[in-house]
């Protein structure tokens, strides 16, 4: 979500989203086998993150805005915690500010909605990730 918003935001004049994406994939291509282009996923991710870091820095410099990601994590599932940690690490790598709401798996739907509403009201938060799955009682 964030990458699409930043890439299509026109911060770099003359470079549309399609051109930017084409450049990423052209840089990541490592071989063509039987008419199929094989891409290096790690190289692609590294290139995208470098470009996003540049875009985030440009946004900070030009508009005085640091993009912010709100994360709501309910419960103690190891897989969910790992996924959220990876998203937070990727966000930090490109200069995106993270705000967390860590709730127990016994919390109510109202508590989750309150956490989302609090993040929504925070001017430093521009996107919110509610990590799924939520507990069965929600």
């Amino acid at each position: 979500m964030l990458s699409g918003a930043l890439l299509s935001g026109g911060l770099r004049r003359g470079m549309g989203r399609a051109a930017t994406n084409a450049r990423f994939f052209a840089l990541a291509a490592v071989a063509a086998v039987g008419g199929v282009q094989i891409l290096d996923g790690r190289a692609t991710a590294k290139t995208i993150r470098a470009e996003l870091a540049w875009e985030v820095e440009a946004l900070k410099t030009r508009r005085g805005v640091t993009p912010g990601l709100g994360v709501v994590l309910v419960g103690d599932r190891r897989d969910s915690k790992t996924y959220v940690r990876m998203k937070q690490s990727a966000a930090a790598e490109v200069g995106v500010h993270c705000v967390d709401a860590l709730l127990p798996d016994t919390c109510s739907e109202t508590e989750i909605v309150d956490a989302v509403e609090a993040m929504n009201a925070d001017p430093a938060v521009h996107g919110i990730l509610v990590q799924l799955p939520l507990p069965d009682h929600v």
Side-chain angles (χ1 to χ4, degrees):
M1 177 169 74
L2 181 61
S3 63
L6 289 175
L7 292 175
S8 64
L11 291 176
R12 263 203 186 159
R13 294 177 190 212
M15 181 181 289
R17 183 176 181 165
T20 302
N21 288 342
R23 188 185 59 195
F24 286 150
F25 291 110
L27 290 173
V30 294
V33 178
V36 175
Q37 194 174 42
I38 299 177
L39 303 177
D40 181 340
R42 289 180 195 257
T44 301
K46 185 176 179 180
T47 302
I48 290 171
R49 285 192 177 140
E51 181 71 17
L52 283 174
W54 187 92
E55 297 284 355
V56 167
E57 188 57 39
L59 188 59
K60 290 177 185 178
T61 301
R62 293 182 185 160
R63 303 221 177 143
V65 174
T66 299
L69 174 65
V71 177
V72 179
L73 178 61
V74 180
D76 201 30
R77 287 179 56 119
R78 191 166 71 175
D79 57 342
S80 292
K81 288 168 68 175
T82 299
Y83 181 81
V84 165
R85 187 175 53 251
M86 289 171 32
K87 295 301 152 202
Q88 291 170 326
S89 175
E93 184 180 333
V94 299
V96 172
H97 168 69
C98 286
V99 176
D100 300 332
L102 307 175
L103 303 172
D105 59 1
T106 57
C107 73
S108 67
E109 181 176 336
T110 301
E111 290 172 296
I112 297 169
V113 170
D114 289 346
V116 171
E117 287 178 345
M119 287 181 183
N120 195 43
D122 184 345
V125 175
H126 301 96
I128 301 170
L129 166 68
V130 177
Q131 177 60 38
L132 299 178
L134 295 172
D136 291 335
H137 70 277
V138 175

